[in-house]
Short mmCIF file of all heavy atoms in Angstrom, two decimals:
data_model
loop_
_atom_site.label_atom_id
_atom_site.label_comp_id
_atom_site.label_asym_id
_atom_site.label_seq_id
_atom_site.Cartn_x
_atom_site.Cartn_y
_atom_site.Cartn_z
N LYS A 1 15.16 4.06 2.76
CA LYS A 1 13.90 4.66 2.32
C LYS A 1 14.20 5.99 1.66
O LYS A 1 14.88 6.84 2.24
CB LYS A 1 12.95 4.86 3.50
CG LYS A 1 12.49 3.57 4.17
CD LYS A 1 11.53 3.87 5.32
CE LYS A 1 11.07 2.57 5.99
NZ LYS A 1 10.14 2.85 7.12
N ASP A 2 13.70 6.16 0.44
CA ASP A 2 13.86 7.41 -0.29
C ASP A 2 12.47 7.95 -0.66
O ASP A 2 11.65 7.21 -1.21
CB ASP A 2 14.67 7.20 -1.56
CG ASP A 2 16.09 6.77 -1.28
OD1 ASP A 2 16.94 7.66 -1.10
OD2 ASP A 2 16.35 5.56 -1.22
N ASN A 3 12.24 9.21 -0.40
CA ASN A 3 11.01 9.88 -0.79
C ASN A 3 11.36 11.17 -1.53
O ASN A 3 12.25 11.91 -1.10
CB ASN A 3 10.15 10.22 0.43
CG ASN A 3 9.67 8.98 1.16
OD1 ASN A 3 8.98 8.14 0.60
ND2 ASN A 3 10.04 8.85 2.42
N GLY A 4 10.66 11.41 -2.63
CA GLY A 4 10.98 12.60 -3.41
C GLY A 4 9.76 13.22 -4.05
O GLY A 4 8.73 12.54 -4.27
N ILE A 5 9.85 14.50 -4.31
CA ILE A 5 8.81 15.23 -5.04
C ILE A 5 9.49 16.25 -5.92
O ILE A 5 10.50 16.85 -5.53
CB ILE A 5 7.81 15.90 -4.07
CG1 ILE A 5 6.66 16.53 -4.84
CG2 ILE A 5 8.51 16.92 -3.18
CD1 ILE A 5 5.53 17.00 -3.95
N GLY A 6 8.97 16.44 -7.14
CA GLY A 6 9.63 17.35 -8.05
C GLY A 6 8.74 17.77 -9.20
O GLY A 6 7.56 17.43 -9.26
N ALA A 7 9.32 18.54 -10.12
CA ALA A 7 8.60 19.04 -11.28
C ALA A 7 9.60 19.45 -12.33
O ALA A 7 10.80 19.57 -12.06
CB ALA A 7 7.70 20.21 -10.90
N GLY A 8 9.11 19.67 -13.55
CA GLY A 8 10.00 20.11 -14.61
C GLY A 8 9.34 20.09 -15.97
O GLY A 8 8.26 19.51 -16.16
N PRO A 9 9.98 20.72 -16.97
CA PRO A 9 9.44 20.76 -18.33
C PRO A 9 9.82 19.52 -19.13
O PRO A 9 10.75 18.79 -18.79
CB PRO A 9 10.11 22.00 -18.92
CG PRO A 9 11.43 22.05 -18.22
CD PRO A 9 11.19 21.53 -16.82
N PHE A 10 9.08 19.30 -20.20
CA PHE A 10 9.37 18.21 -21.14
C PHE A 10 8.97 18.65 -22.54
O PHE A 10 8.20 19.62 -22.72
CB PHE A 10 8.62 16.93 -20.75
CG PHE A 10 7.12 17.07 -20.80
CD1 PHE A 10 6.40 16.85 -21.97
CD2 PHE A 10 6.41 17.42 -19.66
CE1 PHE A 10 5.03 16.99 -22.01
CE2 PHE A 10 5.04 17.55 -19.68
CZ PHE A 10 4.34 17.34 -20.86
N CYS A 11 9.47 17.94 -23.55
CA CYS A 11 9.08 18.19 -24.93
C CYS A 11 9.38 16.95 -25.75
O CYS A 11 10.17 16.09 -25.35
CB CYS A 11 9.81 19.41 -25.51
SG CYS A 11 11.60 19.22 -25.63
N GLY A 12 8.74 16.84 -26.90
CA GLY A 12 8.95 15.65 -27.72
C GLY A 12 8.29 15.78 -29.08
O GLY A 12 7.63 16.78 -29.40
N PHE A 13 8.48 14.73 -29.91
CA PHE A 13 7.92 14.66 -31.25
C PHE A 13 7.06 13.41 -31.39
O PHE A 13 7.39 12.36 -30.84
CB PHE A 13 9.02 14.64 -32.31
CG PHE A 13 9.68 15.97 -32.52
CD1 PHE A 13 10.84 16.31 -31.84
CD2 PHE A 13 9.12 16.90 -33.39
CE1 PHE A 13 11.45 17.53 -32.03
CE2 PHE A 13 9.72 18.13 -33.59
CZ PHE A 13 10.89 18.45 -32.90
N VAL A 14 5.97 13.54 -32.14
CA VAL A 14 5.02 12.45 -32.37
C VAL A 14 4.97 12.13 -33.85
O VAL A 14 4.91 13.04 -34.69
CB VAL A 14 3.61 12.82 -31.87
CG1 VAL A 14 2.62 11.69 -32.14
CG2 VAL A 14 3.64 13.16 -30.38
N TRP A 15 4.99 10.85 -34.17
CA TRP A 15 4.74 10.38 -35.53
C TRP A 15 3.40 9.67 -35.53
O TRP A 15 3.24 8.64 -34.88
CB TRP A 15 5.85 9.43 -36.00
CG TRP A 15 5.56 8.82 -37.35
CD1 TRP A 15 5.07 9.45 -38.46
CD2 TRP A 15 5.74 7.45 -37.74
NE1 TRP A 15 4.94 8.57 -39.50
CE2 TRP A 15 5.34 7.34 -39.08
CE3 TRP A 15 6.20 6.32 -37.06
CZ2 TRP A 15 5.38 6.12 -39.77
CZ3 TRP A 15 6.25 5.12 -37.75
CH2 TRP A 15 5.84 5.03 -39.08
N LYS A 16 2.43 10.24 -36.23
CA LYS A 16 1.07 9.69 -36.27
C LYS A 16 0.98 8.65 -37.38
O LYS A 16 0.94 8.97 -38.57
CB LYS A 16 0.06 10.82 -36.48
CG LYS A 16 0.01 11.79 -35.31
CD LYS A 16 -0.94 12.94 -35.56
CE LYS A 16 -0.30 13.98 -36.47
NZ LYS A 16 -1.14 15.19 -36.60
N ILE A 17 0.92 7.39 -36.97
CA ILE A 17 0.83 6.29 -37.94
C ILE A 17 -0.52 6.31 -38.64
O ILE A 17 -0.63 6.15 -39.85
CB ILE A 17 1.07 4.94 -37.24
CG1 ILE A 17 2.45 4.94 -36.57
CG2 ILE A 17 0.95 3.79 -38.22
CD1 ILE A 17 2.73 3.71 -35.74
N ASN A 18 -1.58 6.49 -37.88
CA ASN A 18 -2.94 6.65 -38.38
C ASN A 18 -3.71 7.46 -37.35
O ASN A 18 -3.15 7.83 -36.31
CB ASN A 18 -3.59 5.29 -38.69
CG ASN A 18 -3.68 4.39 -37.47
OD1 ASN A 18 -4.13 4.81 -36.40
ND2 ASN A 18 -3.25 3.14 -37.63
N PRO A 19 -4.98 7.80 -37.59
CA PRO A 19 -5.71 8.64 -36.62
C PRO A 19 -5.79 8.07 -35.21
O PRO A 19 -6.05 8.82 -34.28
CB PRO A 19 -7.11 8.76 -37.25
CG PRO A 19 -6.87 8.60 -38.72
CD PRO A 19 -5.77 7.59 -38.82
N ARG A 20 -5.55 6.78 -35.03
CA ARG A 20 -5.70 6.20 -33.71
C ARG A 20 -4.38 5.77 -33.08
O ARG A 20 -4.30 5.64 -31.86
CB ARG A 20 -6.64 4.98 -33.77
CG ARG A 20 -8.05 5.31 -34.23
CD ARG A 20 -8.98 4.14 -34.01
NE ARG A 20 -9.12 3.85 -32.59
CZ ARG A 20 -9.91 2.88 -32.12
NH1 ARG A 20 -10.59 2.11 -32.97
NH2 ARG A 20 -10.00 2.68 -30.82
N VAL A 21 -3.35 5.54 -33.86
CA VAL A 21 -2.09 5.00 -33.34
C VAL A 21 -0.96 5.98 -33.65
O VAL A 21 -0.83 6.46 -34.78
CB VAL A 21 -1.78 3.62 -33.94
CG1 VAL A 21 -0.47 3.06 -33.38
CG2 VAL A 21 -2.92 2.65 -33.67
N SER A 22 -0.14 6.25 -32.63
CA SER A 22 1.00 7.14 -32.79
C SER A 22 2.20 6.58 -32.03
O SER A 22 2.04 5.80 -31.09
CB SER A 22 0.68 8.55 -32.25
OG SER A 22 -0.43 9.11 -32.91
N MET A 23 3.37 6.99 -32.44
CA MET A 23 4.60 6.69 -31.72
C MET A 23 5.31 8.00 -31.44
O MET A 23 5.28 8.92 -32.26
CB MET A 23 5.50 5.76 -32.54
CG MET A 23 4.91 4.39 -32.80
SD MET A 23 6.04 3.28 -33.67
CE MET A 23 7.24 2.97 -32.37
N PHE A 24 5.97 8.09 -30.26
CA PHE A 24 6.63 9.34 -29.93
C PHE A 24 7.77 9.10 -28.96
O PHE A 24 7.90 8.04 -28.34
CB PHE A 24 5.63 10.35 -29.33
CG PHE A 24 5.05 9.96 -28.00
CD1 PHE A 24 5.64 10.38 -26.81
CD2 PHE A 24 3.91 9.20 -27.92
CE1 PHE A 24 5.11 10.04 -25.59
CE2 PHE A 24 3.36 8.85 -26.69
CZ PHE A 24 3.97 9.27 -25.53
N THR A 25 8.61 10.11 -28.83
CA THR A 25 9.70 10.13 -27.87
C THR A 25 9.74 11.51 -27.25
O THR A 25 9.20 12.48 -27.81
CB THR A 25 11.04 9.78 -28.52
OG1 THR A 25 12.05 9.68 -27.51
CG2 THR A 25 11.45 10.82 -29.53
N GLU A 26 10.36 11.62 -26.07
CA GLU A 26 10.37 12.91 -25.39
C GLU A 26 11.61 13.04 -24.51
O GLU A 26 12.23 12.05 -24.11
CB GLU A 26 9.11 13.11 -24.55
CG GLU A 26 9.00 12.16 -23.37
CD GLU A 26 7.75 12.46 -22.53
OE1 GLU A 26 6.64 12.33 -23.07
OE2 GLU A 26 7.90 12.81 -21.35
N ALA A 27 11.96 14.29 -24.21
CA ALA A 27 13.04 14.62 -23.29
C ALA A 27 12.45 15.43 -22.14
O ALA A 27 11.40 16.07 -22.28
CB ALA A 27 14.13 15.42 -24.00
N ASN A 28 13.13 15.42 -20.99
CA ASN A 28 12.63 16.18 -19.86
C ASN A 28 13.80 16.68 -19.00
O ASN A 28 14.93 16.22 -19.15
CB ASN A 28 11.65 15.36 -19.02
CG ASN A 28 12.26 14.09 -18.49
OD1 ASN A 28 13.18 14.11 -17.68
ND2 ASN A 28 11.73 12.94 -18.93
N PHE A 29 13.47 17.58 -18.11
CA PHE A 29 14.46 18.14 -17.19
C PHE A 29 13.76 18.37 -15.85
O PHE A 29 13.11 19.39 -15.64
CB PHE A 29 15.05 19.44 -17.73
CG PHE A 29 16.18 19.97 -16.89
CD1 PHE A 29 17.46 19.46 -17.04
CD2 PHE A 29 15.98 20.97 -15.97
CE1 PHE A 29 18.52 19.95 -16.28
CE2 PHE A 29 17.02 21.46 -15.19
CZ PHE A 29 18.29 20.95 -15.34
N TYR A 30 13.88 17.39 -14.95
CA TYR A 30 13.18 17.44 -13.67
C TYR A 30 14.11 17.91 -12.56
O TYR A 30 15.30 17.55 -12.53
CB TYR A 30 12.62 16.07 -13.29
CG TYR A 30 11.55 15.56 -14.21
CD1 TYR A 30 11.54 14.23 -14.64
CD2 TYR A 30 10.52 16.38 -14.65
CE1 TYR A 30 10.56 13.75 -15.48
CE2 TYR A 30 9.53 15.91 -15.49
CZ TYR A 30 9.55 14.59 -15.91
OH TYR A 30 8.57 14.13 -16.74
N ALA A 31 13.55 18.68 -11.64
CA ALA A 31 14.21 19.01 -10.39
C ALA A 31 13.44 18.31 -9.28
O ALA A 31 12.21 18.42 -9.21
CB ALA A 31 14.23 20.52 -10.15
N GLN A 32 14.15 17.58 -8.42
CA GLN A 32 13.47 16.77 -7.41
C GLN A 32 14.13 16.93 -6.05
O GLN A 32 15.36 16.89 -5.92
CB GLN A 32 13.48 15.30 -7.82
CG GLN A 32 12.68 14.40 -6.89
CD GLN A 32 12.33 13.07 -7.54
OE1 GLN A 32 11.90 13.03 -8.69
NE2 GLN A 32 12.50 12.00 -6.81
N TYR A 33 13.29 17.13 -5.04
CA TYR A 33 13.73 17.20 -3.65
C TYR A 33 13.57 15.81 -3.04
O TYR A 33 12.46 15.25 -3.03
CB TYR A 33 12.92 18.23 -2.89
CG TYR A 33 13.22 18.27 -1.40
CD1 TYR A 33 14.36 18.89 -0.92
CD2 TYR A 33 12.35 17.68 -0.49
CE1 TYR A 33 14.63 18.93 0.44
CE2 TYR A 33 12.61 17.72 0.87
CZ TYR A 33 13.75 18.34 1.33
OH TYR A 33 14.02 18.38 2.68
N THR A 34 14.66 15.24 -2.53
CA THR A 34 14.66 13.85 -2.07
C THR A 34 15.21 13.76 -0.65
O THR A 34 16.21 14.40 -0.32
CB THR A 34 15.52 12.97 -3.01
OG1 THR A 34 15.05 13.10 -4.34
CG2 THR A 34 15.43 11.50 -2.60
N THR A 35 14.54 12.93 0.15
CA THR A 35 15.05 12.60 1.48
C THR A 35 15.45 11.13 1.49
O THR A 35 14.74 10.28 0.93
CB THR A 35 13.99 12.85 2.57
OG1 THR A 35 12.85 12.01 2.34
CG2 THR A 35 13.54 14.30 2.57
N THR A 36 16.58 10.84 2.11
CA THR A 36 17.12 9.48 2.16
C THR A 36 17.40 9.10 3.62
O THR A 36 18.02 9.88 4.35
CB THR A 36 18.42 9.36 1.35
OG1 THR A 36 18.15 9.72 -0.01
CG2 THR A 36 18.96 7.94 1.40
N TYR A 37 16.93 7.90 4.00
CA TYR A 37 17.16 7.42 5.36
C TYR A 37 17.60 5.96 5.28
O TYR A 37 16.86 5.10 4.79
CB TYR A 37 15.87 7.54 6.18
CG TYR A 37 16.03 7.12 7.63
CD1 TYR A 37 16.74 7.91 8.53
CD2 TYR A 37 15.47 5.94 8.10
CE1 TYR A 37 16.88 7.54 9.86
CE2 TYR A 37 15.60 5.54 9.42
CZ TYR A 37 16.30 6.36 10.30
OH TYR A 37 16.45 5.96 11.61
N ARG A 38 18.81 5.67 5.74
CA ARG A 38 19.35 4.31 5.76
C ARG A 38 19.83 3.97 7.16
O ARG A 38 20.44 4.81 7.83
CB ARG A 38 20.51 4.15 4.77
CG ARG A 38 20.14 4.30 3.32
CD ARG A 38 21.24 3.81 2.39
NE ARG A 38 22.52 4.42 2.70
CZ ARG A 38 23.64 3.74 2.98
NH1 ARG A 38 23.62 2.41 3.02
NH2 ARG A 38 24.77 4.38 3.24
N TYR A 39 19.57 2.73 7.56
CA TYR A 39 20.02 2.32 8.89
C TYR A 39 20.38 0.84 8.89
O TYR A 39 19.92 0.05 8.04
CB TYR A 39 18.94 2.59 9.95
CG TYR A 39 17.66 1.80 9.75
CD1 TYR A 39 17.48 0.56 10.37
CD2 TYR A 39 16.62 2.30 8.97
CE1 TYR A 39 16.31 -0.17 10.21
CE2 TYR A 39 15.46 1.59 8.80
CZ TYR A 39 15.31 0.36 9.43
OH TYR A 39 14.14 -0.36 9.26
N LEU A 40 21.22 0.46 9.85
CA LEU A 40 21.67 -0.91 10.03
C LEU A 40 21.05 -1.47 11.31
O LEU A 40 21.15 -0.86 12.37
CB LEU A 40 23.19 -0.96 10.13
CG LEU A 40 23.81 -2.30 10.57
CD1 LEU A 40 23.55 -3.39 9.53
CD2 LEU A 40 25.29 -2.13 10.83
#
């Protein structure tokens, strides 16, 4: 079982095909605090 919570910035570029449809890509840099529990 893994549980995590985090936050971070992102940025990207958008190509507007028309007023209603767009395509885009983005990059991000997240910091996340995670707890891991494994058992047999």
Side-chain angles (χ1 to χ4, degrees):
K1 295 181 180 180
D2 296 272
N3 296 300
I5 186 170
F10 63 87
C11 64
F13 286 94
V14 179
W15 175 43
K16 294 177 281 187
I17 301 174
N18 60 48
R20 298 191 65 178
V21 181
S22 301
M23 296 184 71
F24 66 92
T25 185
E26 67 177 62
N28 58 65
F29 186 81
Y30 295 136
Q32 185 161 315
Y33 174 77
T34 304
T35 62
T36 301
Y37 183 72
R38 294 194 308 124
Y39 64 92
L40 169 65

